[in-house]
Amino acid sequence: QVRIVESGGGSVEAGGSLRLSCVVSGLVSERCGMGWWRKAPGKEREMVATISSDGTISYSDAVRGRFTISQDSAKTTLYLQGNSLKTEDTAEYYCAAACPPYYRGGVSFNNPQFYDWGRGTQVTVSS
């Protein structure tokens, strides 16, 4: 069973930076992709950044150029570095593992309801 634990959230002023971490344990194969999603109050969950099973990285338009997703060589820890944070980045941030059969590789993460999720870490950006 996959276990995912996020950390690193907190409160920061606009323009500041935060680094989120996500430790993954359990049966996560090389065929899995990983990523960060976020959910703000009153809004739908949205993808922030993903790393496909072959290492291809994707970002949402909202964070491209400001956020960086990375993974350690053992693929047990996922990071999200957020710079130039904006108040609209305020949300609960979740890490997820997308594995077969609900993920078939590439940059298409279309079945989040079937992924393994952490409990989230809150990021609050104040003006």
Side-chain angles (χ1 to χ4, degrees):
Q1 186 172 356
V2 176
R3 184 167 183 261
I4 297 175
V5 180
E6 303 97 334
S7 62
S11 297
V12 63
E13 291 186 353
S17 299
L18 277 178
R19 189 189 197 206
L20 306 183
S21 299
C22 163
V23 177
V24 183
S25 59
L27 301 177
V28 180
S29 77
E30 292 185 351
R31 294 186 297 159
C32 296
M34 296 287 300
W36 290 95
W37 279 254
R38 68 186 182 187
K39 187 178 187 312
K43 295 186 177 181
E44 298 285 325
R45 179 177 57 194
E46 63 172 346
M47 184 275 287
V48 176
T50 58
I51 296 180
S52 71
S53 52
D54 65 358
T56 303
I57 290 175
S58 297
Y59 296 101
S60 70
D61 290 342
V63 307
R64 188 176 294 110
R66 300 187 297 118
F67 285 26
T68 302
I69 189 172
S70 61
Q71 196 172 42
D72 69 340
S73 57
K75 297 187 177 182
T76 58
T77 306
L78 190 71
Y79 303 98
L80 184 69
Q81 176 70 41
N83 298 327
S84 301
L85 289 168
K86 304 176 180 180
T87 56
E88 50 263 46
D89 294 319
T90 295
E92 190 83 11
Y93 283 71
Y94 298 90
C95 177
C99 300
Y102 307 111
Y103 170 73
R104 299 186 177 186
V107 298
S108 296
F109 290 79
N110 298 323
N111 297 298
Q113 67 271 30
F114 296 113
Y115 299 164
D116 292 293
W117 294 91
R119 291 181 176 271
T121 185
Q122 176 68 35
V123 172
T124 302
V125 183
S126 59
S127 59

